[in-house]
Amino acid sequence: MIESQRHSYHLVDPSPWPISGSLGALATTVGGVMYMHSFQGGATLLSLGLIFLLYTMFVWWRDVLRESTLEGHHTKVVQLGLRYGFLLFIVSEVMFLFAFFRASSHSSLAPTVEIGGIWPPKGIGVLDPWEIPFLNTLIPPSSGAAVTWAHHAILAGKEKRAVYALVATVSLALVFTGFQGMEYYQAPFTISDSIYGSTFYLATGFHGFHVLIGTLFSIICGIRQYLGHLTKEHHVGFEAAAWYWHFVDVVRLFPFVSIYWWGGI
């Protein structure tokens, strides 16, 4: 850290990554719209935008890791700000997913005449909630327990045990994703099959997407733990991953109750 600095805050250096990330997001959005409407060059622009966006994410987070791990810019005050910021992000994610679960609950409790006044709508074959859906509801809390084990191992200074716990977390997440894909393959309805199909795939699909993000989060934390980046005094990145997993654990209960169980009784 710079010797002349008389405060605990991190004044970041000028960086090209915010503008490059914005350009990548713009290219991805425009390319995606062009591709969906069958415009020539849409797929190319979409691919370039995604590559540019992923590259920006990699180099930007690389700089953040260097600033925190090697340069020591992430003081206690900076870490507190990062924790607050991530908690606000999780609150926004709760609101986002709650909208889909609320739509499903509203349609099931007061089915309209357009879907026959019954729930599930007539002609929709539902999944048995006590088979794969119930199993996939038990797996996220198990991965949450594994990531809590990793957290306690980091606090106790047991590096290898923390890596093992993160491997268990990632393994359970991959099992969940595999079962989710199997469930989609076997589902007798599609996203276009009335409000039931649209809310089912949007709610479970976005939850599954969050599981994938949490899996990548845990893989990166496992690599950093193996390299010795995380200590019992400095592991904000891991704490964010652990909070994210607990958010995913709790959120899984909503689709099981509002879509699987309520739709299957």
Side-chain angles (χ1 to χ4, degrees), residues 75-87:
T75 62
K76 295 293 184 182
V77 174
V78 175
Q79 293 180 44
L80 183 62
L82 292 172
R83 290 188 179 95
Y84 284 156
F86 199 80
L87 284 175

Side-chain angles (χ1 to χ4, degrees), residues 88-150:
L88 290 173
F89 166 73
I90 289 178
V91 170
S92 70
E93 291 288 277
V94 170
M95 297 297 104
F96 173 77
L97 290 172
F98 178 76
F100 300 120
F101 305 143
R102 175 68 184 114
S104 176
S105 299
H106 171 76
S107 299
S108 62
L109 293 173
T112 62
V113 294
E114 287 81 5
I115 60 174
I118 58 173
W119 189 262
K122 187 177 181 180
I124 297 292
V126 300
L127 297 167
D128 187 345
W130 302 110
E131 294 182 353
I132 292 180
F134 181 67
L135 178 60
N136 254 9
T137 304
L138 298 178
I139 292 176
S142 302
S143 62
V147 81
T148 301
W149 171 28

Side-chain angles (χ1 to χ4, degrees), residues 138-210:
L138 298 178
I139 292 176
S142 302
S143 62
V147 81
T148 301
W149 171 28
H151 194 187
H152 283 281
I154 291 174
L155 293 176
K158 299 177 180 179
E159 294 83 0
K160 289 186 177 180
R161 189 171 296 180
V163 173
Y164 296 153
L166 285 169
V167 169
T169 302
V170 172
S171 300
L172 287 167
L174 293 176
V175 171
F176 174 93
T177 303
F179 278 132
Q180 190 73 63
M182 185 187 305
E183 181 181 279
Y184 284 174
Y185 180 76
Q186 296 177 350
F189 53 87
T190 66
I191 194 172
S192 60
D193 286 329
S194 77
I195 184 66
Y196 186 90
S198 59
T199 54
F200 173 87
Y201 282 102
L202 281 173
T204 59
F206 274 115
H207 178 265
F209 175 74
H210 283 77

Side-chain angles (χ1 to χ4, degrees), residues 35-70:
Y35 175 73
M36 293 175 192
H37 289 273
S38 302
F39 280 97
Q40 186 176 3
T44 302
L45 184 59
L46 175 61
S47 301
L48 291 175
L50 286 172
I51 292 172
F52 200 54
L53 198 58
L54 292 173
Y55 173 76
T56 301
M57 292 166 63
F58 175 80
V59 293
W60 198 345
W61 285 332
R62 177 205 62 188
D63 289 352
V64 172
L65 293 180
R66 184 180 65 246
E67 292 164 356
S68 64
T69 306
L70 302 178

